[in-house]
Amino acid sequence: MTWEPEIEEIASRTARALQMGGAERVQDQHDRGKLTVRERIDGILDEGSFQERGVLAGSGEYDDDGHLTEFMPAPFVMGVGDIEGRPVVVGGGDYTSRARPSSGREVSKSAVAERMALDLRLPLVRLIDGFGADVRAIEAIGRTYIPANPQFEVVAALMGEVPVVSIALGAVAGWPAAAVAASHFSVMVQEISQVFAAGPPVVSRALGHPIEKEELGGVQVHARGSGVVDNEAASEAEAFEHARRFLSYLPGNVHELPPVLASDDPADRADEELLSLIPRDRRRPYNVRRMIEHIVDRSSMFEIGRGYGRAQVTAFARLDGRPVGVLANDPMIHGGATDADSAQKLEKFVDLCDTFHLPVANFVDNPGFMIGHGAESAGTLKQGVRAITAIYQARVPWATVVVRRVYGVAGAGHQDHSRYNYRITWPSGEWGSIPIEGGVMAAYRRQIEAADDPEAYRADLERRLVQMRSPFRTAESFNAEDIVDPRQTRPLLCKWVQLAYRVLPPLAGPTARHMRP
């Protein structure tokens, strides 16, 4: 007697599970321009590295003799695999196998995946395609129930322990939509991904007007507007590449340090274009991303959230092979002024870098908080103060490069002034509590109005004060520590990042406050 019959049944059930919802439903998934969950897992993980958990879970039907006649695998596939040789937990919804209504209350494989990532201290990748609870479950269980979020304690804990990536790969509503937001990094795919609290039928019935999925929660809404989703991709393959790149800069968990790679980009590289990149005309903008790429390791810049909060650039990059977080104001958008959206984006990114011990390099050209009725109505001051608070709470080493303007409360928030931060300025730098041109009219209004020639009097005041705006006068008082040749910025930051990584080991571990989504 052997256990061969049971071994054969394992193989038979496994083969059925690998067929997912069956050939017809798989074809329907492909006809929608979407991959199956197993194709997605193969696409994001290193080849051959996936070790599945729970392949036999599902719903079986049996004949009178107890033999299995039909089997529908659980609508979720999960396990452990590698990304660039490092282990991660990955799980995704199988839309082809969603054959029965769900109450959202079952002990789910997705919950096990989340717990596995937390307890094993492994990054979590969610491949999300589907909706949450189904109203048909009321009839199935014969009653309604008080909703709860029993998984949320684990979800919240994950945010402070391991990198969490969510990729929206279909129309995502309910709890799966919340899971997209409850992550350190999220991506959606143009045309096939939509994210919303409730889908068009619910919205139409509740609010009385019809709406299409794309209008309700497509990339234009969330990746280019609300900030619910960080990045957008043109295809599923591109979305997987975004996720792989994001994880490549981060440690596997907060108890480790970021991975350092060998760099073939000389640390002493000094690009000539930096000498003329900032226009002498203060009113002219410039390409801030081009500026950053001249300074960080070649091809290492990975931008996060480009489509929203656009006055603020947030990105990962490397300096001499060492991962860093990069902040910069974009003068092409509102002149680089901090508005409510860019402040929220800044706050989340600083918390992200602090959680995973990435030193921050901040390239500053900030004329202050965005002003005007729209900015005030959006709560810019409140969001801005939260962002500054995040900067002051951050523990990681910080470097500031003053590229041009530093004005007002927002400008002053470029670093935590209560501790040492490495700071250099360029000759193009200018600063103050308020820009001279606007400040003169506010401070000298009565004198200007009483003058025989108000316009000439105002112009003379501005001329005299502008003479005092020279960064060299500030350097005389050591308020501007070092004014440097812009071409030397990369060599100086590469020296700084070497020192920064020497002080990182004591910071390894969770932050005092849990990072919020």
Side-chain angles (χ1 to χ4, degrees):
M1 294 293 291
T2 71
W3 292 96
E4 193 65 32
E6 285 78 9
I7 301 304
E8 291 176 357
E9 183 164 1
I10 292 173
S12 174
R13 287 174 176 257
T14 299
R16 294 192 186 202
L18 295 180
Q19 295 173 8
M20 297 171 285
E24 184 177 339
R25 290 185 176 178
V26 167
Q27 185 60 50
D28 181 64
Q29 181 85 342
H30 288 161
D31 290 344
R32 295 169 183 263
K34 298 161 63 177
L35 301 175
T36 67
V37 64
R38 295 185 179 279
E39 291 168 335
R40 288 165 174 167
I41 289 173
D42 288 343
I44 198 167
L45 294 180
D46 296 350
E47 185 176 357
S49 68
F50 184 51
Q51 297 180 352
E52 187 168 352
R53 302 287 190 271
V55 67
L56 301 183
S59 301
E61 296 182 10
Y62 298 83
D63 61 22
D64 293 340
D65 296 323
H67 298 124
L68 182 70
T69 58
E70 296 290 340
F71 179 75
M72 180 62 73
F76 194 86
V77 179
M78 57 159 286
V80 179
D82 293 343
I83 291 181
E84 295 186 359
R86 299 196 298 162
V88 302
V89 173
V90 61
D94 176 11
Y95 201 79
T96 72
S97 297
R98 192 168 179 116
R100 60 187 175 83
S102 167
S103 68
R105 300 183 304 122
E106 296 93 340
V107 176
S108 67
K109 293 172 71 176
S110 64
V112 173
E114 309 258 329
R115 173 57 72 177
M116 183 190 301
L118 180 63
D119 290 354
L120 295 182
R121 295 180 176 178
L122 295 176
L124 174 66
V125 178
R126 303 185 185 115
L127 305 171
I128 303 176
D129 185 2
F131 44 88
D134 189 328
V135 74
R136 292 176 296 174
I138 296 174
E139 191 170 24
I141 65 176
R143 61 178 176 83
T144 59
Y145 59 92
I146 299 174
N149 292 319
Q151 289 179 241
F152 207 81
E153 181 180 354
V154 173
V155 171
L158 282 165
M159 293 296 291
E161 287 285 335
V162 301
V164 178
V165 173
S166 294
I167 309 177
L169 295 162
V172 179
W175 168 247
V180 172
S183 57
H184 297 106
F185 179 67
S186 55
V187 191
M188 61 192 304
V189 181
Q190 295 166 4
E191 298 183 3
I192 73 168
S193 301
Q194 299 86 30
V195 177
F196 24 62
V202 178
V203 172
S204 178
R205 180 62 185 267
L207 302 182
H209 64 268
I211 190 169
E212 296 296 324
K213 290 189 298 184
E214 194 68 20
E215 181 186 0
L216 182 60
V219 294
Q220 189 69 38
V221 177
H222 291 311
R224 305 177 196 172
S226 72
V228 166
V229 175
D230 294 307
N231 285 19
E232 64 178 274
S235 66
E236 294 196 31
E238 185 180 320
F240 302 153
E241 182 58 28
H242 279 238
R244 289 173 64 93
R245 284 205 67 186
F246 175 83
L247 291 171
S248 72
Y249 298 89
L250 297 181
N253 57 67
V254 298
H255 304 276
E256 302 172 358
L257 295 180
V260 178
L261 304 179
S263 174
D264 58 3
D265 190 357
D268 61 354
R269 173 170 55 83
D271 287 5
E272 194 68 22
E273 187 177 338
L274 289 172
L275 188 60
S276 57
L277 194 143
I278 306 299
R280 296 194 71 95
D281 183 346
R282 300 168 58 250
R283 295 169 296 181
R284 287 182 55 203
Y286 54 90
N287 189 330
V288 68
R289 292 171 180 82
R290 186 176 181 87
M291 179 194 77
I292 294 168
E293 288 169 351
H294 278 299
I295 296 168
V296 301
D297 292 359
R298 289 190 179 98
S299 302
S300 73
M301 182 178 170
F302 175 67
E303 189 166 357
I304 298 171
R306 182 168 184 168
Y308 72 100
R310 293 166 55 227
Q312 178 71 56
V313 175
T314 54
F316 288 157
R318 289 185 176 85
L319 287 167
D320 199 23
R322 293 166 173 82
V324 295
V326 174
L327 297 171
N329 305 104
D330 188 350
M332 297 283 192
I333 310 296
H334 307 320
T338 300
D339 59 12
D341 287 348
S342 61
Q344 286 183 312
K345 176 177 170 180
L346 173 62
E347 176 190 354
K348 180 183 177 182
F349 185 76
V350 171
D351 283 349
L352 172 63
C353 292
D354 195 40
T355 297
F356 294 107
H357 324 306
L358 268 69
V360 174
N362 188 11
F363 297 88
V364 184
D365 182 2
N366 193 335
F369 285 128
M370 188 65 184
I371 58 176
H373 179 265
E376 301 297 349
S377 299
T380 297
L381 284 173
K382 179 178 180 179
Q383 299 302 332
V385 169
R386 287 179 60 92
I388 294 171
T389 300
I391 290 171
Y392 270 74
Q393 289 177 336
R395 310 166 302 160
V396 292
W398 195 281
T400 298
V401 181
V402 178
V403 174
R404 192 155 64 176
R405 296 160 299 176
V406 183
Y407 284 106
V409 175
H414 61 268
Q415 63 184 33
D416 174 3
H417 298 275
S418 68
R419 66 181 176 110
Y420 175 77
N421 295 279
Y422 182 59
R423 185 170 67 184
I424 57 178
T425 64
W426 287 4
S428 47
E430 61 175 83
W431 35 72
S433 58
I434 188 172
I436 289 172
E437 290 77 3
V440 162
M441 182 55 71
Y444 294 95
R445 179 176 58 84
R446 292 184 179 178
Q447 295 92 319
I448 292 172
E449 290 176 350
D452 293 337
D453 187 340
E455 185 62 23
Y457 186 77
R458 180 196 58 77
D460 185 60
L461 278 172
E462 289 185 3
R463 180 187 58 79
R464 287 190 284 116
L465 291 175
V466 165
Q467 289 177 346
M468 301 179 191
R469 191 164 59 191
S470 166
F472 296 101
R473 292 199 180 199
T474 310
E476 290 173 3
S477 66
F478 196 48
N479 188 219
E481 296 93 323
D482 289 294
I483 303 175
V484 304
D485 181 338
R487 294 169 293 187
Q488 291 302 307
T489 304
R490 172 175 169 79
L492 290 169
L493 288 182
C494 285
K495 294 275 189 185
W496 162 77
V497 81
Q498 292 176 10
L499 299 177
Y501 266 73
R502 292 184 63 184
V503 302
L504 283 183
L507 300 181
T511 57
R513 65 202 179 284
H514 244 25
M515 181 174 174
R516 293 174 297 276

